[in-house]
Structures are given as C-alpha cells and as structure tokens.
Amino acid sequence: MTSTLRRRPAQRRSVERVERMLDECALLLDEVGYEALTTKEVARRAEVPIGTFYQFFHDKQGLVRALARRNLEAFLQRVTERIAVADLEHWTDLVDLAIDEFVGMKRTTPGFAVVDFGEVLPTPGGSPVEGSKQALDGTHDNNTVVAERLRGLTVELLGAPAAPELDRALLVAVEATDAVLKLAFRADPAGDPALIDECKQLVRRYLAGHLA
C-alpha cells in the first residue's frame, strides 16, 4: 500500500504527536467539516509546530487518509475483540456483530461520520468528496480494501475456503452494506434502526449462498 505518511514516527514523542494530530483532525471534522478543516488549525490544537505537521503529512488529504486507516484498524480490532468474548452460534451472528460495531463507531467515534474508511462525506450518508473513494491505498476502491481485510477474518474464523468466489461475495456484501447504511444515516443522523435491521437481513440472505 502507498504510505499516507511522509515518514513514520520512530520515537515515542513523535508517535504521540502524530496520534494527537489524528485525534484533533477527527474532532475538527465533526466541528467544522472537511472543507473547513485546515492543517494550521490541526497543528495548533495538537500543540505541534506546523513544520512538524509537514514532517509527517504531505497535506490535509494525507492526514485524512491516515485517519481513515486508523479507523479501519480500530474497527477490525473491535470486531476481533468482540468475537473473542461473544457466543457466536452461527456465522450470521458475525454479520450482525460487524454491522453493529460499524454503526457504533458511526455514532460515537470522533470524525467517523465524516470519514470512516476513506470516503469523505460532507453530509451524513451523502455523496463522497471527489477523489476520496481510493483513500486507503490510493489504488483500489476503499470497499475493495475493506473486503480484503474482512476476508482474512472470514477465512480464519469460519474456515471458509479461500477462493475467488468468496472474494467476490464479500466485496458485494461490503458494497451493499455501505449503500444501505448510508441510507440509514441519511434518514436519521443516529442511523435508522429499521434500515440497519434491513441491512443485516440483506447481507445474511446474500451470503447464505456462499457460507451456508
């Protein structure tokens, strides 16, 4: 994957500075939105010199891409931790768990309503900012990257055979989930519960033909 950072922080102090900048970026996305977000304000609130910002990030877009990657890793970590303690009786429980974690992050994680896994949404559930559909690695669509990461969990946890058919099915499931959940958050800023339930049913029924 193409790096979102100009250079990776090596010392603890640098790691903490980068994390503060990402934290402030997320908060500002909720407060002022993507268009009004500036590198100067992120640096000021993170209490780092603007020169330090540019040591690690090329520009605002690079900062937001790094936040999207952090969001994806946090989502996968949350799903993995939930799986470790959950009593999953059927593979469909994994679908519900993953969707619930995503919805939970939409509702509570700073900046996630504007930038989740790469796409920049100026309005909840709205159309993404041009050029943000390949934010995670600069080459593939964000949903393709997400589907690939979920494939690893599916193969490991469910013992599903790794095959092109599974890859395709997971990509379709991720695309469908993305579309329906955008609709849910357009209908209700907190996510319309009925549409979230419809999303779960849609994905369960679709994947049944591949994972049953």
Side-chain angles (χ1 to χ4, degrees), residues 86-163:
D87 183 18
L88 302 180
E89 298 181 356
H90 194 264
W91 66 263
T92 54
D93 295 333
L94 180 57
V95 171
D96 292 356
L97 184 152
I99 291 175
D100 284 341
E101 285 303 315
F102 181 85
V103 169
M105 290 184 73
K106 275 286 187 186
R107 291 171 174 167
T108 63
T109 300
F112 201 79
V114 182
V115 176
D116 47 38
F117 302 146
E119 283 190 339
V120 179
L121 304 178
T123 57
S127 299
V129 168
E130 186 178 354
S132 66
K133 288 189 174 184
Q134 296 181 335
L136 284 173
D137 73 358
T139 303
H140 302 93
D141 284 352
N142 300 323
N143 283 342
T144 300
V145 178
V146 173
E148 174 62 24
R149 296 297 300 276
L150 289 174
R151 172 183 173 275
L153 282 178
T154 304
V155 170
E156 178 182 350
L157 294 172
L158 303 179

Side-chain angles (χ1 to χ4, degrees), residues 22-37 45 64 67 71 105-116 120-122 124 189:
L22 292 173
D23 290 342
E24 294 302 332
C25 172
L27 292 170
L28 281 164
L29 285 170
D30 283 338
E31 293 173 21
V32 304
Y34 176 75
E35 295 301 332
L37 178 73
R45 294 204 5 183
V64 170
L67 178 64
N71 286 341
M105 290 184 73
K106 275 286 187 186
R107 291 171 174 167
T108 63
T109 300
F112 201 79
V114 182
V115 176
D116 47 38
V120 179
L121 304 178

Side-chain angles (χ1 to χ4, degrees), residues 21 41 78 81 86 100 114-115 137 139 142 158 164 170 190 192 198-199:
M21 286 187 279
E41 183 62 9
R78 285 172 63 140
E81 290 175 355
D100 284 341
V114 182
V115 176
D137 73 358
T139 303
N142 300 323
L158 303 179
L170 287 175
D192 182 274
E198 289 290 338
C199 181

Side-chain angles (χ1 to χ4, degrees), residues 54-75:
Y54 287 110
Q55 284 180 15
F56 295 102
F57 301 104
H58 291 278
D59 48 26
K60 177 172 81 171
Q61 289 75 23
L63 175 68
V64 170
R65 286 177 61 198
L67 178 64
R69 284 197 184 184
R70 189 175 76 166
N71 286 341
L72 177 56
E73 296 304 325
F75 168 73

Side-chain angles (χ1 to χ4, degrees), residues 176-189:
T177 300
D178 183 34
V180 178
L181 290 183
K182 279 179 179 173
L183 176 62
F185 281 91
R186 258 197 322 271
D188 181 343

Side-chain angles (χ1 to χ4, degrees), residues 91 204-212:
W91 66 263
R204 286 194 223 110
R205 289 171 180 171
Y206 170 71
L207 288 178
H210 298 272
L211 296 176

